[in-house]
Amino acid sequence: METLPIWFWIVYSTFILLTLGTAIFSNFKEDRIPLAYITIILSFALPLVSFLFSIGRGDNDNEFSYMMKEVADGSLTAIMLILGYIYLTTWLVLFIKDNFGQYISKLSGWITTKIKNSPYLHRKQDGA
């Protein structure tokens, strides 16, 4: 039976733990509490349901290809899993934007300024 590479499982575990941590932090901060509870529940439920769902895969499929085949076949469970992961990704992006957006904006402005003022962009052509 095939499985995904170890780097994928490290990224996946980090994503789930980071999402769970941000939801718990948001709950303690008393910000978006209903959405934080949904995120906490999904952070526990999605990996479990994904594991149980992938038990039915064939020998030549890894977890991702099996999920995509099932989505293409119209499996309600696979579609709900994908929607759950989209929700967790959206939660994480919005959390980062709301809590670190001003720092990211300042950093991107600083980087843009550095690139615009770079001497490599304003070199004069020899022989012109």
Side-chain angles (χ1 to χ4, degrees):
M1 197 177 279
E2 288 189 36
T3 189
L4 293 165
I6 190 70
W7 65 265
F8 175 85
W9 293 114
I10 292 171
V11 170
Y12 177 78
S13 300
T14 303
F15 169 73
I16 294 294
L17 291 175
L18 187 62
T19 306
L20 179 63
T22 59
I24 291 171
F25 177 79
S26 183
N27 193 16
F28 282 125
K29 195 176 161 186
E30 295 184 3
D31 186 29
R32 295 188 182 124
I33 291 179
L35 297 176
Y37 281 137
I38 293 170
T39 304
I40 291 169
I41 291 168
L42 286 177
S43 294
F44 285 110
L46 284 175
L48 177 65
V49 173
S50 293
F51 172 73
L52 295 174
F53 181 72
S54 70
I55 289 175
R57 64 189 166 96
D59 288 339
N60 296 331
D61 289 336
N62 62 34
E63 293 85 351
F64 183 75
S65 64
Y66 178 69
M67 176 91 65
M68 292 302 110
K69 284 179 188 177
E70 291 297 312
V71 168
D73 290 341
S75 169
L76 186 60
T77 305
I79 293 169
M80 295 304 286
L81 284 170
I82 295 295
L83 290 175
Y85 287 120
I86 290 171
Y87 174 85
L88 291 184
T89 304
T90 304
W91 165 268
L92 194 57
V93 167
L94 290 177
F95 180 86
I96 291 170
K97 179 187 167 284
D98 289 348
N99 290 290
F100 302 105
Q102 64 186 9
Y103 303 113
I104 294 170
S105 177
K106 286 180 184 178
L107 180 64
S108 67
W110 179 79
I111 291 172
T112 304
T113 304
K114 288 291 186 184
I115 291 172
K116 285 181 182 178
N117 296 334
S118 171
Y120 300 110
L121 294 177
H122 303 292
R123 283 197 281 183
K124 294 183 180 181
Q125 298 292 328
D126 292 334

